Amino acid sequence: LNLEHIVYNGVGAGEVSDTITLPWLSGATATQSQPSPLPPLKSYLSGVAETRTYTALAGGGYREGTTTDTHDSYGRVTSESSVPQVGDDTQDTCTTTSYASNTSAWILNLPSEVQVTSVPCGTTAMLPADAVSDLLSFYDGATSLSSDTPTAGDVTETQKATSYTGTTPVYTTQTISTFDEYGRGEHPVV
């Protein structure tokens, strides 16, 4: 993980952009004792908590943008608040991700719903006005998010919010796929 990455416009030229990445660290996930007097070994999950980007402007100064991630206990990103230009909230978005999990098989990284709204995370979105997109993915033949416990992790159906009834999204099937016993995708049905 690079703490800072600066891009220059050639050798000896001015700075184009500066990106600062701040790390995220979970609480200790495991501890292993060691012989005295050594302290116990501990393991942690790590990731990115925040990224700050400074872009040089032709007239001088910088445009600042930030991306802030929230993680769950498995280290998965559950929300990402994107502010492309600090001080201009017209481009802000919040992406929230839910996952289809099977902790017995350690299948943890499959997104089941990815919802994007045009407000920063922590702000209540007014649907459908603030909706940007809402995508559902179903795995291994599941037909609802509540029953989606993947066994192989093959995406068998995707749906997209195409309209709203009040504040409730109405989903339209985008793809239906089948897989053989070896996980090879066959021709999509839809």
Side-chain angles (χ1 to χ4, degrees):
L1 181 68
N2 289 331
L3 175 63
E4 186 170 20
H5 180 79
I6 301 174
V7 176
Y8 294 96
N9 191 13
V11 177
E15 187 177 300
V16 174
S17 66
D18 182 3
T19 303
I20 298 171
T21 304
L22 303 175
W24 168 81
L25 192 65
S26 72
T29 58
T31 303
Q32 169 77 35
S33 61
Q34 295 194 95
S36 183
L38 297 173
L41 298 172
K42 294 183 180 183
S43 65
Y44 300 88
L45 297 171
S46 63
V48 174
E50 184 176 356
T51 303
R52 298 178 188 161
T53 304
Y54 302 91
T55 305
L57 302 174
Y62 292 88
R63 178 178 59 235
E64 178 184 355
T66 64
T67 301
T68 306
D69 293 340
T70 303
H71 302 263
D72 66 9
S73 61
Y74 293 110
R76 303 175 296 192
V77 175
T78 55
S79 69
E80 179 179 278
S81 188
S82 175
V83 180
Q85 185 170 341
V86 173
D88 178 7
D89 62 359
T90 61
Q91 299 177 22
D92 296 357
T93 60
C94 177
T95 302
T96 55
T97 305
S98 302
Y99 295 88
S101 301
N102 181 341
T103 55
S104 300
W106 286 101
I107 300 174
L108 302 172
N109 64 341
L110 304 175
S112 58
E113 182 174 17
V114 179
Q115 184 179 49
V116 182
T117 56
S118 60
V119 295
C121 297
T123 304
T124 302
M126 304 301 292
L127 299 176
D130 293 331
V132 175
S133 66
D134 192 348
L135 304 172
L136 305 180
S137 297
F138 301 93
Y139 299 89
D140 306 323
T143 56
S144 73
L145 295 181
S146 61
S147 68
D148 199 353
T149 304
T151 54
D154 296 325
V155 179
T156 51
E157 184 175 350
T158 60
Q159 296 178 358
K160 177 181 179 181
T162 53
S163 64
Y164 284 79
T165 300
T167 59
T168 304
V170 176
Y171 296 98
T172 302
T173 299
Q174 301 296 298
T175 62
I176 296 176
S177 301
T178 57
F179 296 84
D180 67 15
E181 65 269 18
Y182 302 108
R184 295 179 297 205
E186 298 174 347
H187 297 290
V189 177
V190 174

